[in-house]
Amino acid sequence: MEKIPILRMGPFLLVTIQVDLYDRLALNLEADLIKTISDTNAKGVLIDISVVSIVDSFMGRIIGNIASMSKILDAETVVVGMQPAVAITLIELGLPLTGVHTALNVERGMELLRAKVNLDDYSSSEDEDGYEPDDQRDY
Amino acid sequence: MTIHLAKMRMGMSQMISVITKQSMLIQQDQDVVPFRNRVKECAVKLKMGLVNQTKLITAASELVRNMLKYGRGGQVVIEAVSKRNQFGVRLIFIDKGPGIPDIALAMKDGYSTGKSLGLGLPGTKRLVNEFDIESAVGVGTKVSIIKWCNG
Ligand SMILES: Nc1ncnc2c1ncn2[C@@H]1O[C@H](COP(=O)(O)OP(=O)(O)OP(=O)(O)O)[C@@H](O)[C@H]1O
Ligand SMILES: [Mg+2]
């Protein structure tokens, strides 16, 4: 099954959405991300949507869900690279992306996460229980 | 107020000519993305600007999802239309689902029978230039929208 890769960058996770998401793919991403956050003790999630041309209420809800679930797991979510036309449309649609921070690009998003997150208590779960991401373990 | 009402009554029936027309069956989630692509092609041919294109396709996406979720799928007609010197895209969504008992209520921000955000219909109305909904319980629902290129 097609899958959206989740990249691990230290205490943060990076997801780049490359295609206009099919619904099932989007739901899988939501589940995968939540699992990866809890497995890796990640402190932040960056969702890069710079090549996404349409965000409707379904996609918006998925992003919102990811943000609120992450929050429960003590991680912040930043959506980066939203196209101006998408941002304008979301406002008119009336979609509240509550709990979601936004940034211009991945670098800015990382800065924002670093500023928001207290990394003092971050200990990579690798140190504790030798966690390896699924995709490494599989090969 | 009178002028406003008169305008509303004229609605979209007024002297709209259809330039091209195609129709698509929508039966499953996987039909959403190809449908959006067809709408985009139509808008691009008419040289619709990016922001209006994005609004149109987002509106189309909302309505097609409603059709799948509540109307058990249906048919969409995609048209390039013109009215006087304006060009635009008209989309007509027709389903034979359960229908909507109270349209005014369904059009309210936040109203949903599907435990969702309830912003598909009211949001769509804000995103397009013309919005028309007809529904009969037990018969089905028909929604027509137009986005003008310069609208
Ligand atoms: N094609 C349809 N057939 C039958 N009922 C419909 C149809 N479209 C919408 N409805 C009804 O109108 C309500 C409002 O629709 P709307 O799209 O505004 O919100 P939603 O789909 O519930 O939530 P959201 O679009 O935010 O995910 C729906 O909950 C449903 O009861
Ligand atoms: Mg809806």
Side-chain angles (χ1 to χ4, degrees):
Chain A
M1 170 113 197
E2 232 181 325
K3 232 179 172 191
I4 296 168
I6 300 170
L7 252 106
R8 194 173 170 187
M9 301 168 73
F12 305 133
L13 302 175
L14 172 66
V15 178
T16 304
I17 298 177
Q18 306 272 18
V19 287
D20 279 332
L21 281 190
Y22 287 82
D23 295 7
R24 212 152 295 147
L25 205 57
L27 290 169
N28 286 348
L29 171 66
E30 186 182 329
D32 281 356
L33 253 180
I34 305 306
K35 184 173 185 304
T36 313
I37 294 168
S38 87
D39 286 353
T40 62
N41 190 24
K43 291 293 164 198
V45 179
L46 285 158
I47 306 176
D48 182 359
I49 60 165
S50 53
V51 299
V52 174
S53 57
I54 300 295
V55 176
D56 62 5
S57 65
F58 178 83
M59 258 298 279
R61 202 162 54 237
I62 298 252
I63 294 172
N65 284 351
I66 290 172
S68 45
M69 293 292 286
S70 306
K71 198 93 193 176
I72 293 171
L73 298 170
D74 199 27
E76 297 283 339
T77 302
V78 180
V79 168
V80 301
M82 187 186 292
Q83 293 177 14
V86 170
I88 292 167
T89 299
L90 278 183
I91 290 167
E92 218 161 86
L93 184 62
L95 191 72
L97 286 182
T98 35
V100 182
H101 309 287
T102 53
L104 220 53
N105 52 39
V106 175
E107 292 82 60
R108 294 283 180 83
M110 288 284 256
E111 281 168 27
L112 187 64
L113 277 181
R114 281 204 196 91
K116 289 221 166 290
V117 165
N118 179 7
L119 290 176
D120 292 347
D121 64 341
Y122 170 74
S123 61
S124 158
S125 50
E126 260 161 338
D127 309 337
E128 290 158 8
D129 56 29
Y131 172 85
E132 298 221 309
D134 285 344
D135 47 353
Q136 288 186 15
R137 192 161 40 198
D138 286 350
Y139 296 117
Chain B
M1 192 60 194
T2 332
I3 298 167
H4 183 64
L5 277 178
K7 255 193 193 160
M8 288 208 343
R9 235 173 252 134
M10 280 195 280
M12 58 171 85
S13 55
Q14 186 211 24
M15 297 208 297
I16 287 177
S17 27
V18 177
I19 307 163
T20 64
K21 178 175 180 153
Q22 56 178 311
S23 109
M24 251 183 113
L25 278 180
I26 305 288
Q27 285 160 328
Q28 47 181 348
D29 287 347
Q30 284 92 312
D31 297 335
V32 172
V33 173
F35 161 68
R36 293 200 313 212
N37 292 340
R38 293 265 197 105
V39 175
K40 189 185 172 80
E41 277 162 31
C42 186
V44 166
K45 269 189 199 139
L46 294 173
K47 298 196 168 62
M48 186 181 284
L50 183 64
V51 172
N52 282 344
Q53 260 184 52
T54 306
K55 289 181 182 180
L56 169 69
I57 300 164
T58 305
S61 196
E62 293 299 332
L63 294 177
V64 90
R65 282 187 193 294
N66 279 355
M67 208 165 79
L68 281 167
K69 187 169 174 187
Y70 306 108
R72 302 188 291 261
Q75 191 198 15
V76 191
V77 181
I78 305 170
E79 295 173 331
V81 294
S82 73
K83 184 166 94 176
R84 286 188 231 98
N85 51 2
Q86 290 192 98
F87 291 91
V89 175
R90 174 161 67 185
L91 303 174
I92 307 169
F93 300 79
I94 304 156
D95 69 61
K96 296 191 175 76
I100 303 173
D102 186 341
I103 291 180
L105 189 60
M107 289 301 299
K108 276 204 180 134
D109 270 306
Y111 176 80
S112 172
T113 58
K115 294 193 186 120
S116 194
L117 300 173
L119 50 79
L121 288 177
T124 295
K125 190 173 181 186
R126 286 189 288 269
L127 290 172
V128 298
N129 302 115
E130 307 201 19
F131 181 99
D132 214 43
I133 180 165
E134 293 163 36
S135 190
V137 173
V139 180
T141 301
K142 178 176 165 182
V143 184
S144 308
I145 58 172
I146 297 182
K147 186 76 191 167
W148 298 112
C149 287
N150 55 4

